[in-house]
Amino acid sequence: MAIPSRLLPLLAEFDFARQRLTDRLSGPVVNSGNGTDVPVGPMTDAEYLWEPAPGCWSVRRWADGPGPAGEFLTGAGEWGRENASYPHPVPPPFTTLAWRLTHLSELLELRADHTNGTRSLTRDDYRAAGDAAGAIAAFDRAAGAWRAALLSADDEDLDRVGHCTYPHGGDAEEPFLEVVWWVNQELLHHGAEIALLRDLYRILAV
């Protein structure tokens, strides 16, 4: 099936942001943006779970429960992601690299499922990783699933309201093309946050 022309620039943006974040997490180099390769080491478990401020939201073992700033954990398996009931605290708690990467992978995997999958997964089904390598692999799987969902859409699907039924946002009330645009923004801004946290860890924690 031919890729709709309106989807092509958003798909290219997604691919660029995905590769840039993957390189930033895994190394051995990341493109500086002007074609220069900058050396970068793979993320460590200590870095993944680093809490640079008191009261962080993070990814924690279910056996330990949420930290002092979290109300509950979401997800399946040994680890869960901290959360709170709506409305969330203001100002929001600082979130760790683990929280941000898990959030990003979760939303990609669930949106993929609610576009061309079972349309049934919720946050309670997502299995958060407790280690860096597992989290990077989870991101790669989730990004691949979302990309496959994009490639399954035809031109009519891009205008269809509710083509994605992701239950934790306005997707069911929005044309799919707007959902695609929004997911790109999530990847770009969380990718930038993760990159900054890697820089801060290198300077402040090591």
Side-chain angles (χ1 to χ4, degrees):
M1 183 176 68
I3 301 174
S5 59
R6 291 180 294 162
L7 183 58
L8 285 171
L10 291 172
L11 183 63
E13 182 180 61
F14 174 81
D15 287 343
F16 175 81
R18 173 191 179 182
Q19 188 62 56
R20 196 166 169 81
L21 178 55
T22 299
D23 291 345
R24 191 67 176 83
L25 291 169
S26 303
V29 297
V30 64
N31 190 305
S32 67
N34 65 0
T36 302
D37 285 338
V38 177
V40 59
M43 179 174 61
T44 66
D45 292 349
E47 183 179 3
Y48 176 63
L49 294 171
W50 179 52
E51 298 190 27
C56 284
W57 276 3
S58 190
V59 170
R60 305 188 190 279
R61 285 187 173 88
W62 276 92
D64 298 331
E71 290 183 20
F72 54 85
L73 301 176
T74 60
E78 183 181 357
W79 296 77
R81 184 169 62 87
E82 274 183 297
N83 217 319
S85 303
Y86 286 101
H88 282 167
V90 177
F94 193 91
T95 52
T96 64
L97 193 159
W99 193 99
R100 295 172 200 228
L101 184 56
T102 300
H103 164 66
L104 184 56
S105 300
E106 176 195 280
L107 74 85
L108 289 168
E109 183 173 306
L110 265 61
R111 278 190 164 97
D113 177 72
H114 281 269
T115 300
N116 67 340
T118 68
R119 297 181 182 264
S120 65
L121 295 183
T122 71
R123 288 174 177 162
D124 292 332
D125 299 307
Y126 186 78
R127 302 182 73 86
D131 65 290
I136 294 169
F139 170 70
D140 186 62
R141 288 193 302 270
W146 176 244
R147 194 179 196 281
L150 296 182
L151 294 179
S152 74
D154 60 24
D155 208 52
E156 291 183 3
D157 292 332
L158 297 182
D159 293 322
R160 185 173 292 118
V161 174
H163 182 64
C164 177
T165 58
Y166 177 71
H168 305 296
D171 301 42
E173 290 82 44
E174 296 174 354
F176 187 57
L177 191 65
E178 293 186 19
V179 175
V180 175
W181 175 86
W182 174 251
V183 170
N184 279 9
Q185 306 319 300
E186 288 278 293
L187 177 55
L188 288 162
H189 91 253
H190 285 306
E193 292 170 343
I194 289 166
L196 177 59
L197 282 171
R198 291 217 67 188
D199 287 339
L200 289 175
Y201 180 83
R202 175 174 52 84
I203 295 167
L204 300 178
V206 177

